[in-house]
Amino acid sequence: KQEVTQIPAALSVPEGENLVLNCSFTDSAIYNLQWFRQDPGKGLTSLLLIQSSQREQTSGRLNASLDKSSGRSTLYIAASQPGDSATYLCAVRSDYKLSFGAGTTVTVRA
Amino acid sequence: NAGVTQTPKFQVLKTGQSMTLQCAQDMNHNSMYWYRQDPGMGLRLIYYSASEGTTDKGEVPNGYNVSRLNKREFSLRLESAAPSQTSVYFCASSSGGSKNIQYFGAGTRLSVL
């Protein structure tokens, strides 16, 4: 059974600081890994998807890396802004299904 | 651009009552999913439907039933609600393929008293 862990559970940084969010998973036999954003009381929005054959994926200020052999992914958010405050979840696809981590709740202080 | 629509947004039930959560997608996706989200636990898959006419159990199916009514609609039924089913429920859909990106609805917040 795939287990996905995100540490820390919460993070608070001043505006402008770079964010580093970690995700680890137990079974390296994956198709892809996704990072999602969830705002309070809202659904999930997909930010980045990394295929198992890729090492990283970039979108604007966001960069996600994947080390499948060690079961780790990292989401970097450059020059954080108060609008980046949200919960970030990673999810690993092993077949049809996604296995989610519990998320890291980020607060960016103005 | 409706995407994935869930109804209702909020619901309060008494123990033993039944209800159906509705989900519809307008993206012509083959696959649909029901998740529940509890504090500190991430999302857990309840049931999924890989294609119209098929449904399969996920990680936590006990106490739930589903119906894939047609390609657009996938409903989740609680036959006899229990306090342990208090949660936020999310429906998602995906087109399949190598990426299989899932698109989520806004969720239904359910309290069972």
Side-chain angles (χ1 to χ4, degrees), chain A residues 1 31-32 34 36 38-46 49 51 89 93 95-103, chain B residues 31 33 35 37 40-43 45 48 50 57-59 90 97-107 109:
Chain A
K1 178 176 178 271
Y31 287 105
N32 58 47
Q34 276 186 266
F36 290 88
Q38 185 177 27
D39 293 290
K42 306 287 187 183
L44 280 67
T45 301
S46 181
L49 180 145
Q51 297 282 47
L89 297 100
R93 181 191 165 203
D95 44 43
Y96 283 108
K97 295 164 280 191
L98 292 179
S99 298
F100 282 84
Chain B
S31 302
Y33 311 82
Y35 294 91
Q37 184 178 34
M41 297 190 70
L43 277 76
L45 184 66
Y48 69 100
K57 295 178 180 180
E59 186 182 353
F90 288 100
S98 62
K99 291 189 175 181
N100 203 36
I101 295 175
Q102 293 189 14
Y103 296 85
F104 284 78
R109 281 149 186 78

CSV table of all heavy atoms in Angstrom, one decimal, chain A residues 1 31-32 34 36 38-46 49 51 89 93 95-103, chain B residues 31 33 35 37 40-43 45 48 50 57-59 90 97-107 109:
chain,number,residue,atom,x,y,z
A,1,LYS,N,0.9,-1.2,0.0
A,1,LYS,CA,0.0,0.0,0.0
A,1,LYS,C,0.9,1.2,0.0
A,1,LYS,O,1.8,1.4,0.8
A,1,LYS,CB,-0.9,0.0,1.2
A,1,LYS,CG,-1.8,1.2,1.4
A,1,LYS,CD,-2.7,1.0,2.6
A,1,LYS,CE,-3.6,2.2,2.7
A,1,LYS,NZ,-3.1,3.3,3.6
A,31,TYR,N,3.3,6.0,-11.7
A,31,TYR,CA,3.2,6.6,-13.0
A,31,TYR,C,3.6,8.1,-13.0
A,31,TYR,O,4.3,8.6,-13.9
A,31,TYR,CB,1.8,6.5,-13.5
A,31,TYR,CG,1.4,5.1,-13.9
A,31,TYR,CD1,0.6,4.3,-13.1
A,31,TYR,CD2,1.8,4.5,-15.1
A,31,TYR,CE1,0.2,3.0,-13.4
A,31,TYR,CE2,1.5,3.2,-15.5
A,31,TYR,CZ,0.7,2.5,-14.6
A,31,TYR,OH,0.3,1.2,-15.0
A,32,ASN,N,3.1,8.8,-12.1
A,32,ASN,CA,3.4,10.2,-12.0
A,32,ASN,C,3.2,10.7,-10.6
A,32,ASN,O,2.6,10.0,-9.7
A,32,ASN,CB,2.7,11.0,-13.0
A,32,ASN,CG,1.1,10.9,-12.9
A,32,ASN,OD1,0.6,11.0,-11.8
A,32,ASN,ND2,0.5,10.7,-14.0
A,34,GLN,N,1.7,14.4,-8.6
A,34,GLN,CA,1.1,15.7,-8.8
A,34,GLN,C,1.2,16.5,-7.5
A,34,GLN,O,1.1,16.0,-6.4
A,34,GLN,CB,-0.4,15.5,-9.1
A,34,GLN,CG,-0.7,15.3,-10.6
A,34,GLN,CD,-2.2,15.3,-10.8
A,34,GLN,OE1,-2.8,14.3,-10.9
A,34,GLN,NE2,-2.7,16.5,-11.1
A,36,PHE,N,-0.9,19.7,-5.7
A,36,PHE,CA,-2.1,20.4,-5.8
A,36,PHE,C,-2.1,21.5,-4.8
A,36,PHE,O,-1.4,21.5,-3.8
A,36,PHE,CB,-3.3,19.5,-5.3
A,36,PHE,CG,-3.7,18.4,-6.3
A,36,PHE,CD1,-3.0,17.2,-6.3
A,36,PHE,CD2,-4.7,18.6,-7.3
A,36,PHE,CE1,-3.4,16.2,-7.2
A,36,PHE,CE2,-5.0,17.6,-8.2
A,36,PHE,CZ,-4.3,16.4,-8.1
A,38,GLN,N,-4.8,23.7,-2.3
A,38,GLN,CA,-6.2,23.8,-1.8
A,38,GLN,C,-6.3,25.0,-0.9
A,38,GLN,O,-5.6,25.2,0.0
A,38,GLN,CB,-6.5,22.5,-1.0
A,38,GLN,CG,-8.0,22.5,-0.5
A,38,GLN,CD,-8.3,21.2,0.2
A,38,GLN,OE1,-7.4,20.6,0.8
A,38,GLN,NE2,-9.6,20.8,0.2
A,39,ASP,N,-7.3,25.9,-1.3
A,39,ASP,CA,-7.6,27.1,-0.5
A,39,ASP,C,-8.7,26.7,0.4
A,39,ASP,O,-9.5,25.8,0.2
A,39,ASP,CB,-8.1,28.2,-1.4
A,39,ASP,CG,-6.9,28.7,-2.3
A,39,ASP,OD1,-6.0,29.3,-1.7
A,39,ASP,OD2,-6.9,28.5,-3.5
A,40,PRO,N,-8.8,27.4,1.6
A,40,PRO,CA,-9.8,27.0,2.6
A,40,PRO,C,-11.2,27.0,2.1
A,40,PRO,O,-11.7,27.9,1.4
A,40,PRO,CB,-9.7,28.2,3.6
A,40,PRO,CG,-8.3,28.6,3.5
A,40,PRO,CD,-7.9,28.5,2.0
A,41,GLY,N,-11.9,25.9,2.3
A,41,GLY,CA,-13.3,25.7,1.9
A,41,GLY,C,-13.4,25.4,0.4
A,41,GLY,O,-14.5,25.5,-0.1
A,42,LYS,N,-12.3,25.2,-0.3
A,42,LYS,CA,-12.4,25.0,-1.7
A,42,LYS,C,-11.9,23.6,-2.1
A,42,LYS,O,-11.4,22.8,-1.3
A,42,LYS,CB,-11.5,26.0,-2.4
A,42,LYS,CG,-11.8,27.5,-2.1
A,42,LYS,CD,-13.1,27.9,-2.7
A,42,LYS,CE,-13.3,29.4,-2.5
A,42,LYS,NZ,-14.6,29.9,-3.0
A,43,GLY,N,-12.1,23.3,-3.4
A,43,GLY,CA,-11.5,22.0,-3.9
A,43,GLY,C,-10.0,22.1,-4.2
A,43,GLY,O,-9.4,23.1,-3.8
A,44,LEU,N,-9.5,21.1,-4.9
A,44,LEU,CA,-8.1,21.1,-5.2
A,44,LEU,C,-7.8,21.6,-6.6
A,44,LEU,O,-8.6,21.2,-7.6
A,44,LEU,CB,-7.6,19.6,-5.1
A,44,LEU,CG,-7.3,19.1,-3.7
A,44,LEU,CD1,-8.6,18.9,-2.9
A,44,LEU,CD2,-6.6,17.7,-3.8
A,45,THR,N,-6.7,22.3,-6.8
A,45,THR,CA,-6.3,22.7,-8.1
A,45,THR,C,-4.9,22.1,-8.4
A,45,THR,O,-4.0,22.3,-7.6
A,45,THR,CB,-6.2,24.3,-8.1
A,45,THR,OG1,-7.5,24.8,-7.8
A,45,THR,CG2,-5.8,24.8,-9.5
A,46,SER,N,-4.8,21.5,-9.6
A,46,SER,CA,-3.5,20.9,-9.9
A,46,SER,C,-2.5,22.0,-10.3
A,46,SER,O,-2.8,22.9,-11.1
A,46,SER,CB,-3.8,19.9,-11.1
A,46,SER,OG,-2.5,19.3,-11.5
A,49,LEU,N,2.4,18.4,-12.7
A,49,LEU,CA,2.4,17.0,-12.7
A,49,LEU,C,3.8,16.6,-13.3
A,49,LEU,O,4.3,17.1,-14.3
A,49,LEU,CB,1.3,16.5,-13.7
A,49,LEU,CG,1.2,14.9,-13.8
A,49,LEU,CD1,-0.2,14.5,-14.0
A,49,LEU,CD2,2.0,14.4,-15.0
A,51,GLN,N,5.9,13.3,-14.7
A,51,GLN,CA,5.8,11.9,-15.1
A,51,GLN,C,7.0,11.1,-14.4
A,51,GLN,O,8.0,11.7,-14.0
A,51,GLN,CB,5.9,11.8,-16.6
A,51,GLN,CG,4.8,12.4,-17.3
A,51,GLN,CD,3.5,11.6,-17.3
A,51,GLN,OE1,3.1,11.1,-16.3
A,51,GLN,NE2,2.9,11.4,-18.5
A,89,LEU,N,-0.8,19.9,-1.4
A,89,LEU,CA,-0.9,18.4,-1.3
A,89,LEU,C,-0.1,17.8,-2.4
A,89,LEU,O,-0.2,18.3,-3.6
A,89,LEU,CB,-2.3,17.9,-1.3
A,89,LEU,CG,-3.2,18.4,-0.2
A,89,LEU,CD1,-4.1,19.5,-0.6
A,89,LEU,CD2,-4.1,17.2,0.3
A,93,ARG,N,0.4,8.7,-8.3
A,93,ARG,CA,-0.5,7.8,-9.1
A,93,ARG,C,0.2,6.5,-9.3
A,93,ARG,O,1.3,6.5,-9.9
A,93,ARG,CB,-0.8,8.4,-10.4
A,93,ARG,CG,-1.8,7.5,-11.2
A,93,ARG,CD,-1.9,8.0,-12.6
A,93,ARG,NE,-2.5,6.9,-13.4
A,93,ARG,CZ,-2.4,6.8,-14.7
A,93,ARG,NH1,-1.7,7.7,-15.4
A,93,ARG,NH2,-3.0,5.8,-15.4
A,95,ASP,N,-1.9,3.5,-10.1
A,95,ASP,CA,-2.7,2.9,-11.2
A,95,ASP,C,-3.7,3.9,-11.6
A,95,ASP,O,-3.4,5.0,-12.0
A,95,ASP,CB,-3.2,1.5,-10.8
A,95,ASP,CG,-3.8,1.5,-9.4
A,95,ASP,OD1,-4.6,2.5,-9.1
A,95,ASP,OD2,-3.6,0.6,-8.7
A,96,TYR,N,-5.0,3.6,-11.5
A,96,TYR,CA,-6.0,4.6,-11.7
A,96,TYR,C,-6.1,5.6,-10.6
A,96,TYR,O,-6.7,6.6,-10.7
A,96,TYR,CB,-7.4,3.9,-11.8
A,96,TYR,CG,-7.7,3.3,-13.1
A,96,TYR,CD1,-7.8,1.9,-13.2
A,96,TYR,CD2,-8.0,4.0,-14.2
A,96,TYR,CE1,-8.0,1.3,-14.4
A,96,TYR,CE2,-8.3,3.4,-15.4
A,96,TYR,CZ,-8.3,2.0,-15.5
A,96,TYR,OH,-8.6,1.4,-16.7
A,97,LYS,N,-5.5,5.1,-9.4
A,97,LYS,CA,-5.8,5.9,-8.2
A,97,LYS,C,-4.7,6.7,-7.8
A,97,LYS,O,-3.5,6.5,-8.0
A,97,LYS,CB,-6.1,4.8,-7.1
A,97,LYS,CG,-7.4,4.0,-7.4
A,97,LYS,CD,-7.4,2.8,-6.5
A,97,LYS,CE,-6.6,1.7,-7.0
A,97,LYS,NZ,-6.8,0.4,-6.3
A,98,LEU,N,-5.1,7.8,-7.1
A,98,LEU,CA,-4.1,8.7,-6.5
A,98,LEU,C,-4.0,8.4,-5.0
A,98,LEU,O,-5.0,8.3,-4.3
A,98,LEU,CB,-4.5,10.2,-6.7
A,98,LEU,CG,-4.4,10.7,-8.1
A,98,LEU,CD1,-4.8,12.2,-8.1
A,98,LEU,CD2,-3.0,10.6,-8.7
A,99,SER,N,-2.8,8.4,-4.4
A,99,SER,CA,-2.6,8.4,-3.0
A,99,SER,C,-2.1,9.7,-2.5
A,99,SER,O,-1.1,10.2,-3.1
A,99,SER,CB,-1.6,7.3,-2.6
A,99,SER,OG,-2.0,6.0,-3.0
A,100,PHE,N,-2.8,10.3,-1.6
A,100,PHE,CA,-2.5,11.7,-1.2
A,100,PHE,C,-1.7,11.8,0.1
A,100,PHE,O,-2.0,10.9,1.0
A,100,PHE,CB,-3.8,12.5,-1.0
A,100,PHE,CG,-4.5,12.9,-2.2
A,100,PHE,CD1,-5.3,12.1,-2.9
A,100,PHE,CD2,-4.3,14.2,-2.7
A,100,PHE,CE1,-5.9,12.5,-4.1
A,100,PHE,CE2,-4.9,14.6,-3.9
A,100,PHE,CZ,-5.7,13.7,-4.6
A,101,GLY,N,-0.9,12.8,0.2
A,101,GLY,CA,-0.3,13.1,1.5
A,101,GLY,C,-1.4,14.0,2.3
A,101,GLY,O,-2.3,14.5,1.7
A,102,ALA,N,-1.1,14.3,3.5
A,102,ALA,CA,-2.0,15.1,4.4
A,102,ALA,C,-1.9,16.6,4.1
A,102,ALA,O,-2.7,17.3,4.5
A,102,ALA,CB,-1.8,14.8,5.8
A,103,GLY,N,-0.8,17.0,3.4
A,103,GLY,CA,-0.7,18.4,3.0
A,103,GLY,C,0.2,19.2,4.0
A,103,GLY,O,0.5,18.8,5.1
B,31,SER,N,-13.3,8.8,-16.5
B,31,SER,CA,-13.2,8.3,-15.1
B,31,SER,C,-13.7,9.3,-14.1
B,31,SER,O,-13.5,10.5,-14.3
B,31,SER,CB,-11.7,8.0,-14.9
B,31,SER,OG,-11.2,7.0,-15.8
B,33,TYR,N,-14.4,9.8,-9.6
B,33,TYR,CA,-13.9,9.4,-8.3
B,33,TYR,C,-14.7,10.1,-7.2
B,33,TYR,O,-15.1,11.2,-7.3
B,33,TYR,CB,-12.4,9.7,-8.1
B,33,TYR,CG,-11.5,9.4,-9.3
B,33,TYR,CD1,-11.4,10.2,-10.4
B,33,TYR,CD2,-10.8,8.2,-9.3
B,33,TYR,CE1,-10.6,9.9,-11.5
B,33,TYR,CE2,-9.9,7.9,-10.4
B,33,TYR,CZ,-9.9,8.7,-11.5
B,33,TYR,OH,-9.1,8.4,-12.5
B,35,TYR,N,-13.8,11.0,-3.1
B,35,TYR,CA,-12.9,11.0,-2.0
B,35,TYR,C,-13.6,11.6,-0.8
B,35,TYR,O,-14.5,12.3,-0.8
B,35,TYR,CB,-11.7,11.9,-2.3
B,35,TYR,CG,-10.8,11.4,-3.4
B,35,TYR,CD1,-11.0,11.8,-4.8
B,35,TYR,CD2,-9.7,10.6,-3.2
B,35,TYR,CE1,-10.2,11.5,-5.8
B,35,TYR,CE2,-8.8,10.2,-4.2
B,35,TYR,CZ,-9.1,10.6,-5.5
B,35,TYR,OH,-8.3,10.3,-6.6
B,37,GLN,N,-12.1,13.7,2.8
B,37,GLN,CA,-11.0,14.4,3.4
B,37,GLN,C,-11.3,14.7,4.9
B,37,GLN,O,-12.2,15.4,5.2
B,37,GLN,CB,-10.7,15.7,2.7
B,37,GLN,CG,-9.4,16.4,3.2
B,37,GLN,CD,-9.1,17.7,2.4
B,37,GLN,OE1,-10.0,18.4,2.0
B,37,GLN,NE2,-7.8,18.0,2.2
B,40,GLY,N,-5.9,16.1,8.9
B,40,GLY,CA,-4.6,15.4,9.1
B,40,GLY,C,-4.5,14.1,8.4
B,40,GLY,O,-3.5,13.4,8.6
B,41,MET,N,-5.4,13.8,7.5
B,41,MET,CA,-5.3,12.5,6.9
B,41,MET,C,-5.2,12.5,5.4
B,41,MET,O,-5.1,11.5,4.7
B,41,MET,CB,-6.5,11.6,7.3
B,41,MET,CG,-6.6,11.3,8.7
B,41,MET,SD,-7.8,10.1,9.1
B,41,MET,CE,-7.1,8.6,8.4
B,42,GLY,N,-5.3,13.7,4.8
B,42,GLY,CA,-5.3,13.8,3.3
B,42,GLY,C,-6.6,13.2,2.7
B,42,GLY,O,-7.5,12.9,3.5
B,43,LEU,N,-6.6,13.1,1.4
B,43,LEU,CA,-7.8,12.5,0.8
B,43,LEU,C,-7.7,11.0,0.7
B,43,LEU,O,-6.7,10.5,0.3
B,43,LEU,CB,-8.0,13.1,-0.6
B,43,LEU,CG,-8.6,14.5,-0.7
B,43,LEU,CD1,-7.7,15.6,-0.3
B,43,LEU,CD2,-9.1,14.7,-2.2
B,45,LEU,N,-9.6,7.6,-1.1
B,45,LEU,CA,-10.5,7.2,-2.2
B,45,LEU,C,-11.6,6.3,-1.6
B,45,LEU,O,-11.3,5.3,-1.0
B,45,LEU,CB,-9.8,6.5,-3.3
B,45,LEU,CG,-10.6,6.1,-4.5
B,45,LEU,CD1,-11.1,7.3,-5.3
B,45,LEU,CD2,-9.7,5.2,-5.4
B,48,TYR,N,-14.4,4.5,-7.2
B,48,TYR,CA,-14.1,5.2,-8.5
B,48,TYR,C,-14.8,4.4,-9.6
B,48,TYR,O,-15.2,3.3,-9.4
B,48,TYR,CB,-12.6,5.3,-8.7
B,48,TYR,CG,-11.9,4.0,-9.0
B,48,TYR,CD1,-11.6,3.5,-10.3
B,48,TYR,CD2,-11.5,3.1,-7.9
B,48,TYR,CE1,-10.9,2.4,-10.5
B,48,TYR,CE2,-10.8,2.0,-8.1
B,48,TYR,CZ,-10.5,1.6,-9.4
B,48,TYR,OH,-9.9,0.4,-9.6
B,50,ALA,N,-13.9,3.8,-13.6
B,50,ALA,CA,-13.0,3.9,-14.6
B,50,ALA,C,-13.6,4.3,-15.9
B,50,ALA,O,-13.0,5.0,-16.8
B,50,ALA,CB,-12.1,2.7,-14.8
B,57,LYS,N,-14.3,-0.4,-5.7
B,57,LYS,CA,-14.0,0.1,-4.4
B,57,LYS,C,-12.7,0.7,-4.3
B,57,LYS,O,-11.7,0.2,-4.9
B,57,LYS,CB,-14.1,-1.1,-3.4
B,57,LYS,CG,-15.5,-1.7,-3.3
B,57,LYS,CD,-15.5,-2.8,-2.3
B,57,LYS,CE,-16.9,-3.4,-2.2
B,57,LYS,NZ,-17.0,-4.6,-1.2
B,58,GLY,N,-12.6,1.7,-3.5
B,58,GLY,CA,-11.3,2.3,-3.2
B,58,GLY,C,-10.8,1.9,-1.8
B,58,GLY,O,-11.0,0.7,-1.4
B,59,GLU,N,-10.2,2.8,-1.1
B,59,GLU,CA,-9.6,2.5,0.2
B,59,GLU,C,-10.6,2.4,1.3
B,59,GLU,O,-10.4,1.6,2.2
B,59,GLU,CB,-8.6,3.6,0.5
B,59,GLU,CG,-7.7,3.4,1.7
B,59,GLU,CD,-6.8,4.6,2.0
B,59,GLU,OE1,-6.7,5.5,1.1
B,59,GLU,OE2,-6.1,4.6,3.0
B,90,PHE,N,-15.2,15.0,-1.8
B,90,PHE,CA,-14.8,15.5,-3.1
B,90,PHE,C,-15.1,14.5,-4.2
B,90,PHE,O,-14.7,13.4,-4.1
B,90,PHE,CB,-13.4,15.9,-3.1
B,90,PHE,CG,-13.0,17.1,-2.3
B,90,PHE,CD1,-12.5,17.0,-1.0
B,90,PHE,CD2,-13.3,18.4,-2.8
B,90,PHE,CE1,-12.2,18.1,-0.2
B,90,PHE,CE2,-13.0,19.5,-2.0
B,90,PHE,CZ,-12.5,19.4,-0.7
B,97,GLY,N,-5.6,8.2,-19.9
B,97,GLY,CA,-4.3,8.4,-20.6
B,97,GLY,C,-3.1,8.4,-19.7
B,97,GLY,O,-3.2,8.1,-18.5
B,98,SER,N,-1.9,8.8,-20.2
B,98,SER,CA,-0.7,8.7,-19.5
B,98,SER,C,-0.6,9.6,-18.3
B,98,SER,O,0.0,9.3,-17.3
B,98,SER,CB,0.5,8.9,-20.4
B,98,SER,OG,0.5,10.2,-21.0
B,99,LYS,N,-1.2,10.8,-18.4
B,99,LYS,CA,-1.1,11.8,-17.3
B,99,LYS,C,-2.3,11.6,-16.3
B,99,LYS,O,-2.1,11.6,-15.1
B,99,LYS,CB,-1.1,13.2,-17.9
B,99,LYS,CG,0.2,13.5,-18.6
B,99,LYS,CD,0.3,15.0,-18.9
B,99,LYS,CE,1.6,15.3,-19.6
B,99,LYS,NZ,1.7,16.8,-19.9
B,100,ASN,N,-3.5,11.4,-16.9
B,100,ASN,CA,-4.6,11.2,-16.0
B,100,ASN,C,-4.8,12.2,-14.9
B,100,ASN,O,-5.0,11.9,-13.8
B,100,ASN,CB,-4.5,9.8,-15.4
B,100,ASN,CG,-5.9,9.2,-15.0
B,100,ASN,OD1,-6.9,9.5,-15.6
B,100,ASN,ND2,-6.0,8.5,-13.8
B,101,ILE,N,-4.7,13.5,-15.3
B,101,ILE,CA,-4.9,14.6,-14.4
B,101,ILE,C,-6.3,14.6,-13.9
B,101,ILE,O,-7.2,14.5,-14.7
B,101,ILE,CB,-4.5,15.9,-15.0
B,101,ILE,CG1,-3.0,16.0,-15.4
B,101,ILE,CG2,-4.9,17.1,-14.1
B,101,ILE,CD1,-2.6,17.2,-16.1
B,102,GLN,N,-6.5,14.7,-12.6
B,102,GLN,CA,-7.8,14.7,-12.0
B,102,GLN,C,-8.2,16.1,-11.7
B,102,GLN,O,-7.4,16.9,-11.2
B,102,GLN,CB,-7.9,13.9,-10.7
B,102,GLN,CG,-7.7,12.4,-11.0
B,102,GLN,CD,-7.9,11.5,-9.8
B,102,GLN,OE1,-8.5,11.9,-8.8
B,102,GLN,NE2,-7.5,10.3,-9.9
B,103,TYR,N,-9.5,16.4,-12.0
B,103,TYR,CA,-10.1,17.7,-11.8
B,103,TYR,C,-11.1,17.6,-10.7
B,103,TYR,O,-12.0,16.7,-10.8
B,103,TYR,CB,-10.7,18.3,-13.0
B,103,TYR,CG,-9.6,18.5,-14.1
B,103,TYR,CD1,-9.2,17.5,-15.0
B,103,TYR,CD2,-9.1,19.8,-14.3
B,103,TYR,CE1,-8.3,17.7,-15.9
B,103,TYR,CE2,-8.1,20.0,-15.2
B,103,TYR,CZ,-7.7,19.0,-16.1
B,103,TYR,OH,-6.7,19.2,-17.0
B,104,PHE,N,-11.1,18.5,-9.7
B,104,PHE,CA,-11.9,18.3,-8.5
B,104,PHE,C,-13.1,19.3,-8.4
B,104,PHE,O,-12.9,20.5,-8.9
B,104,PHE,CB,-11.1,18.5,-7.2
B,104,PHE,CG,-10.2,17.3,-7.0
B,104,PHE,CD1,-9.0,17.1,-7.7
B,104,PHE,CD2,-10.6,16.4,-6.0
B,104,PHE,CE1,-8.2,16.0,-7.4
B,104,PHE,CE2,-9.8,15.3,-5.7
B,104,PHE,CZ,-8.6,15.1,-6.4
B,105,GLY,N,-14.2,18.8,-7.8
B,105,GLY,CA,-15.3,19.7,-7.5
B,105,GLY,C,-14.9,20.5,-6.2
B,105,GLY,O,-13.9,20.3,-5.6
B,106,ALA,N,-15.8,21.4,-5.8
B,106,ALA,CA,-15.6,22.3,-4.6
B,106,ALA,C,-15.9,21.6,-3.3
B,106,ALA,O,-15.5,22.1,-2.3
B,106,ALA,CB,-16.4,23.5,-4.7
B,107,GLY,N,-16.5,20.4,-3.3
B,107,GLY,CA,-16.7,19.6,-2.1
B,107,GLY,C,-18.0,19.8,-1.5
B,107,GLY,O,-18.7,20.7,-1.7
B,109,ARG,N,-19.6,19.5,2.4
B,109,ARG,CA,-19.3,19.4,3.8
B,109,ARG,C,-20.5,18.7,4.5
B,109,ARG,O,-21.6,19.3,4.6
B,109,ARG,CB,-19.0,20.8,4.4
B,109,ARG,CG,-17.6,21.2,4.1
B,109,ARG,CD,-17.4,22.7,3.9
B,109,ARG,NE,-16.1,23.0,3.4
B,109,ARG,CZ,-15.6,22.8,2.2
B,109,ARG,NH1,-16.5,22.4,1.2
B,109,ARG,NH2,-14.4,23.1,1.8
